[in-house]
Amino acid sequence: MSWIARSRLASAVSNAGGLGIIETSSGRLDEVREEVRKMKSLTDRPWGMNIAQAFVRDPDIVSFVVDQGVRFVTTSAGDPGKYCDALKSRGLTVFHVVPSLAAAEKAVAAGVDGLVVEGAEGGGFKSSREVFTMVLLPLVASRVNVPIIAAGGIADGRSMAAAFALGAEGVQMGTRMVAASESPVHQNWKNAIVNARETDTVFLNRHGTGPALRALRTGKTTQYEVEPPGNIMSEFDHAHKLYFGGDMEASIAVTGQVMGRIDSVKPVAEILQDTMIEFETVITGLAQRNGLGPDPLCASG
């Protein structure tokens, strides 16, 4: 979510009852500082920041984050112990993003307050040995005793209910928010998500230098699926041309498989409201169908 998870989108999430997250992975901390200033004028609700460790350029990133007045941080793409103690000693709550059981256990041992357990169907940078949410989430939930946020494949109330059944206590949406009205990305990318099938992503760089990643299938990424470039990360030098200029072949559009379930661009408030309504309907319906809740006919009488 580099360049995307900034004040316009994050404040909309917080104002709608979620927890908006501001990115630092773009490395443009002067811009991020300005986005934080805007964020504080756009919402008085809780929000947080992400430290994607593989992209940190400022050796004093902890002080930068603390200075923004944030109280909640997700760390990702690196050793969970690198910043955990420093952040927690300054009073912040720290959740670490994990793609495997081993990573989850390492993060808990490092002292994190919770986990974001992200299945390989999600968009973005991934472990080359992918494990999907249906397997990963209940496995991690059975082995750790910290709060879990599920990520990867979450787009609505039905998938949220499934995540809760598998052991989560919250959910994170990436691709669904890229296609939100308040998302700053070009309409071409949003249209690509809305028009995509569930099979229209590629998993790139499984054996190459640098991270693996899941992305939207385009002419470029289809070629890279069989002939990866020498340095996949260099493709993001042109990210702005795709993200904000709409040239879908200029770079790589990191996108999750759940785009196959997204059929419209909606405001964040509507997405979250619909999600919660559907979530409650699904879990109530499951209870009633399985004889675990009150009979609606008896209740009405």
Side-chain angles (χ1 to χ4, degrees):
M1 298 290 281
S2 298
W3 301 291
I4 301 171
R6 292 192 170 183
S7 60
R8 182 184 177 196
L9 180 58
S11 65
V13 171
S14 291
N15 286 333
L19 183 69
I21 299 292
I22 297 286
E23 60 89 15
T24 64
S25 54
S26 64
R28 300 184 178 184
L29 297 189
D30 287 342
E31 294 180 13
V32 172
R33 187 179 289 107
E34 176 62 17
E35 291 298 316
V36 168
R37 186 192 66 77
K38 293 177 183 177
M39 187 75 173
K40 292 176 179 178
S41 70
L42 292 169
T43 185
D44 59 0
R45 306 296 296 274
W47 56 278
M49 298 188 80
N50 170 254
I51 300 175
Q53 296 173 202
F55 304 100
V56 169
R57 301 176 191 174
D58 186 342
D60 201 15
I61 188 67
V62 169
S63 292
F64 173 82
V65 169
V66 170
D67 289 346
Q68 308 315 306
V70 70
R71 306 299 297 171
F72 177 85
V73 173
T74 58
T75 56
S76 58
D79 182 352
K82 186 171 184 179
Y83 299 120
C84 183
D85 286 346
L87 289 164
K88 291 188 66 173
S89 69
R90 307 286 284 275
L92 280 70
T93 298
V94 180
F95 277 49
H96 190 70
V97 182
V98 297
S100 68
L101 175 60
E105 292 175 333
K106 182 178 180 179
V108 171
V112 300
D113 298 294
L115 301 171
V116 179
V117 176
E118 184 167 2
E121 65 267 59
F125 300 101
K126 297 281 172 269
S127 167
S128 60
R129 297 183 176 183
E130 74 270 33
V131 185
F132 293 85
T133 299
M134 192 74 173
V135 171
L136 180 63
L137 180 54
L139 176 62
V140 172
S142 71
R143 302 289 185 88
V144 304
N145 190 29
V146 297
I148 292 175
I149 297 171
I154 314 296
D156 56 12
R158 183 171 296 278
S159 46
M160 179 179 174
F164 273 52
L166 295 173
E169 293 158 282
V171 295
Q172 174 178 290
M173 297 183 186
T175 300
R176 172 67 272 195
M177 291 302 165
V178 172
S181 300
E182 294 89 344
S183 169
V185 305
H186 196 279
Q187 190 65 36
N188 287 355
W189 191 354
K190 297 180 185 184
N191 290 343
I193 291 172
V194 169
N195 294 325
R197 298 166 296 180
E198 77 282 6
T199 53
D200 285 340
T201 66
V202 292
F203 195 78
L204 301 177
N205 209 45
R206 186 187 304 274
H207 303 295
T209 302
L213 65 154
R214 184 171 300 283
L216 177 73
R217 181 178 296 280
T218 64
K220 178 190 285 286
T221 59
T222 296
Q223 177 183 348
Y224 286 171
E225 190 175 21
V226 294
E227 299 176 357
N231 178 9
I232 195 83
M233 295 306 295
S234 66
E235 292 298 318
F236 292 94
D237 292 345
H238 309 291
H240 271 238
K241 293 181 180 178
L242 186 156
Y243 284 31
F244 310 117
D247 182 351
M248 299 304 294
E249 299 292 344
S251 184
I252 295 173
V254 289
T255 312
Q257 288 180 334
V258 78
M259 67 183 183
R261 300 192 59 238
I262 297 170
D263 59 11
S264 62
V265 175
K266 297 180 179 179
V268 168
E270 185 176 341
I271 292 170
L272 294 193
Q273 180 182 44
D274 289 349
T275 294
M276 292 310 303
I277 292 171
E278 184 179 49
F279 170 77
E280 293 176 2
T281 299
V282 168
I283 60 174
T284 300
L286 284 171
Q288 292 173 348
R289 287 201 301 274
N290 290 281
L292 302 176
D295 186 325
L297 294 178
C298 293
S300 64

